[in-house]
Amino acid sequence: MSKILKNSAIYSSLNLLQKGINFLLIPVLTAYLTTHNYGVVAVVTVINSFLNVFYLCSLNASVNRFYYEFKGDDEKVKKLFGTVVTFVFSFSVFLSIILGFGHQFFLDPFLNDVEFYPYMILGMISILFNPVFAIFQYTLMVKQEASKYGLNSFLFFLSNLVFLLISVIILDYGAVGILGSLSLTNIIFFIYTLTRFGKDIVLGIDFSILKQSLKYSFPLIPHSIAGVTTSVIDRLIINNLLTTSMVGIYHIGNTFGVIIFIIASSVNQAFNPWFNKQVKEGKYDDIPEKAKLLIIFYCIIALGVSFFCKEVLQGVTPVSYHEAWEVVPFISFAFVLHGSYYFFAVPLFYDISGKGNRVLPIVTIFSAILNASLNFIMIPKYGIIGAAVATLISKLVLVISLSFIYNKFLAIKYHSKEMILIPLIYFVISLITFMSFEMDNELLLKICIYLLVLFLTFLFYKKEIIAIKKA
């Protein structure tokens, strides 16, 4: 457990810098960008999330899975890494050419009033060069080299931050500055990756390894698309049914909720290699308890974010962004449930026969369809809060569905009911922030309630927490 916590801490802190840059820069960006410009960045980012699935072909999952099958044969591991990198970049170039020439058919319908040039062009530059660096980072994760992963993430963050501050504050490039800074950073780290892989990779395609990798990863593509749809389709629908400015406001609120996602995904990055090792050694007993306590940890963080985001937004953003706090509790706990999803899904990913990979997309696609449908129904009636509620409901349905099937692939018995009910209980508590208190210091009251919840949580799970510390 100590290695999971150590690696998770590295992944979480560095991912907060890399992926959470928009959150850290909210006071700056909201001062220099209108809600419309913020919306432009959000729409391009969402489209890039979808494109990233096709560019990677879910081969990152193959790297994670087959490294442990090939471990011990260094030459085969090098060929695995080299095959994936060579194929991914070649396929990325091919897709970029198709999308560039056919953007009016493939991209423009989703952009609405966001211009393809220069905004989407800059987004496409990022998505062309990023997958190779992403694969490099995955290789470090599967080897559990969290420190190297963290250093790379920090350098990426620092480079992007410098370029962004220059382009937005000094050059006043607005949305172009944000998207252009990310493009430049991705180009630099593409080159950096090629120099750093060195002796750990054999460039070129080993077709037997490629066939095996694609056979494993291809069934995951619908699952990945469904996962992205559930997470970001709301912004495209808001852009279509409301305005790009409302996308900007919603995106600010979502950025607070993403804190939970970054923590949960960082833990998952550390948990997956540890899980694979434990299962291969037949050590199943500790897994359920650790998963439950991590969900409780996510809930505590999500409750804090939900309770205090209103005051933070009012203190660091212009008035035009202040209503964004209303979506934060729903988004935060949707991502807590996504953390539960990670634990329920990992047994299906472990199934090398591919049966789990075929079942998982069925569940995630259903969740994505539900999410999109609820967004179309609820956004016209309830605005951006409707989008947040739709996300929470679809995540809940996803987790409940997986809780019934995960143990058909591995003999692991999670505390399924608690991993679903605990987030819902904390979510209900978070709704206190919507209440009107007839007192001068509402913040003080929320601090007291939050501390009380922390105290009661510790009392209730004291034995488990102490056991984890000793592990």
Side-chain angles (χ1 to χ4, degrees):
M1 185 65 177
S2 60
K3 188 153 192 175
I4 295 179
L5 293 175
K6 177 184 176 182
N7 288 354
S8 296
I10 294 173
Y11 293 142
S12 295
S13 59
L14 272 302
N15 277 352
L16 277 168
L17 291 177
Q18 182 184 353
K19 296 181 181 178
I21 186 170
N22 286 338
F23 173 78
L24 298 173
L25 293 175
I26 280 176
V28 176
L29 297 179
T30 54
Y32 284 87
L33 271 68
T34 64
T35 53
H36 177 81
N37 282 339
Y38 221 113
V40 167
V41 174
V43 169
V44 172
T45 302
V46 166
I47 293 174
N48 274 2
S49 297
F50 280 101
L51 294 180
N52 187 58
V53 175
F54 295 102
Y55 279 55
L56 276 174
C57 294
S58 293
L59 283 167
N60 52 302
S62 294
V63 169
N64 181 52
R65 185 66 189 90
F66 288 108
Y67 170 78
Y68 286 94
E69 295 302 314
F70 300 159
K71 192 175 181 181
D73 186 338
D74 292 342
E75 192 64 24
K76 204 166 186 179
V77 170
K78 291 178 182 180
K79 287 183 178 179
L80 170 67
F81 293 166
T83 295
V84 171
V85 166
T86 304
F87 177 81
V88 164
F89 184 66
S90 301
F91 193 60
S92 297
V93 172
F94 171 75
L95 281 182
S96 295
I97 292 171
I98 297 297
L99 292 172
F101 284 105
H103 68 86
Q104 65 269 33
F105 304 108
F106 302 116
L107 297 175
D108 291 0
F110 301 101
L111 290 170
N112 203 16
D113 61 345
V114 176
E115 298 173 359
F116 177 78
Y117 179 83
Y119 302 117
M120 197 61 228
I121 285 287
L122 291 171
M124 289 180 63
I125 293 172
S126 283
I127 205 66
L128 170 62
F129 290 102
N130 178 260
V132 171
F133 176 63
I135 293 295
F136 177 50
Q137 291 290 78
Y138 274 107
T139 66
L140 296 177
M141 284 190 291
V142 298
K143 292 188 289 185
Q144 299 191 54
E145 295 180 1
S147 297
K148 291 182 180 179
Y149 175 97
L151 177 61
N152 291 338
S153 295
F154 176 74
L155 292 173
F156 188 101
F157 160 78
L158 189 61
S159 302
N160 192 27
L161 176 63
V162 171
F163 296 145
L164 187 149
L165 292 176
I166 292 172
S167 60
V168 174
I169 297 177
I170 298 176
L171 301 178
D172 197 24
Y173 283 168
V176 170
I178 294 178
L179 297 172
S181 297
L182 187 57
S183 298
L184 181 57
T185 305
N186 276 307
I187 292 171
I188 291 171
F189 276 80
F190 169 78
I191 299 170
Y192 170 80
T193 297
L194 296 181
T195 63
R196 293 296 295 174
F197 250 139
K199 295 183 291 185
D200 294 331
I201 187 174
V202 176
L203 285 175
I205 295 178
D206 183 311
F207 286 97
S208 63
I209 291 178
L210 179 62
K211 182 180 178 181
Q212 193 176 10
S213 298
L214 289 174
K215 183 180 178 182
Y216 179 84
S217 69
F218 253 51
L220 293 174
I221 293 176
H223 156 72
S224 299
I225 294 171
V228 172
T229 298
T230 304
S231 299
V232 301
I233 193 67
D234 44 15
R235 268 141 286 184
L236 291 181
I237 298 175
I238 292 170
N239 191 46
N240 183 262
L241 298 181
L242 301 178
T243 65
T244 304
S245 292
M246 291 306 296
V247 176
I249 294 170
Y250 181 81
H251 190 65
I252 286 288
N254 189 79
T255 301
F256 278 80
V258 165
I259 294 172
I260 315 304
F261 172 74
I262 292 171
I263 294 172
S265 61
S266 299
V267 169
N268 184 58
Q269 288 169 335
F271 184 86
N272 260 336
W274 177 82
F275 177 93
N276 289 339
K277 183 180 178 183
Q278 295 295 107
V279 172
K280 198 163 186 177
E281 295 174 357
K283 300 176 181 178
Y284 290 23
D285 295 343
D286 290 342
I287 295 173
E289 199 65 38
K290 290 176 172 57
K292 183 182 74 174
L293 289 178
L294 286 168
I295 292 300
I296 294 169
F297 171 68
Y298 300 159
C299 287
I300 291 171
I301 301 299
L303 185 64
V305 171
S306 301
F307 264 22
F308 307 117
C309 65
K310 182 178 179 181
E311 286 75 16
V312 173
L313 276 168
Q314 290 175 346
V316 302
T317 66
V319 175
S320 57
Y321 288 95
H322 286 182
E323 65 181 293
W325 75 267
E326 296 176 351
V327 306
V328 174
F330 303 96
I331 298 296
S332 295
F333 282 93
F335 284 128
V336 171
L337 290 171
H338 195 79
S340 295
Y341 152 79
Y342 280 138
F343 295 123
F344 289 130
V346 70
L348 282 74
F349 282 117
Y350 186 83
D351 179 34
I352 198 169
S353 70
K355 292 180 180 178
N357 290 358
R358 295 180 180 90
V359 171
L360 192 59
I362 297 173
V363 180
T364 53
I365 289 171
F366 173 76
S367 176
I369 293 172
L370 174 65
N371 180 266
S373 301
L374 288 173
N375 270 290
F376 277 113
I377 293 169
M378 301 184 76
I379 288 174
K381 292 183 179 180
Y382 306 108
I384 59 176
I385 291 182
V389 173
T391 299
L392 179 64
I393 293 173
S394 60
K395 293 289 187 185
L396 178 61
V397 170
L398 173 64
V399 171
I400 291 174
S401 301
L402 283 179
S403 70
F404 286 107
I405 62 175
Y406 76 91
N407 59 0
K408 298 184 186 300
F409 298 88
L410 276 177
I412 295 175
K413 293 184 179 180
Y414 285 122
H415 304 287
S416 301
K417 291 181 180 179
E418 290 182 75
M419 290 171 68
I420 296 170
L421 289 175
I422 291 173
L424 294 179
I425 292 170
Y426 277 81
F427 167 68
V428 171
I429 296 172
S430 76
L431 296 180
I432 290 174
T433 194
F434 284 93
M435 297 175 63
S436 297
F437 300 99
E438 296 182 1
M439 59 181 295
D440 294 332
N441 203 331
E442 177 182 327
L443 176 60
L444 180 60
L445 178 61
K446 287 194 288 188
I447 291 173
C448 292
I449 295 173
Y450 185 67
L451 292 176
L452 177 62
V453 172
L454 285 180
F455 177 70
L456 293 175
T457 300
F458 178 76
L459 281 184
F460 199 77
Y461 293 102
K462 183 178 179 180
K463 290 182 179 179
E464 291 94 331
I465 293 171
I466 292 174
I468 286 295
K469 284 185 176 181
K470 293 180 178 179

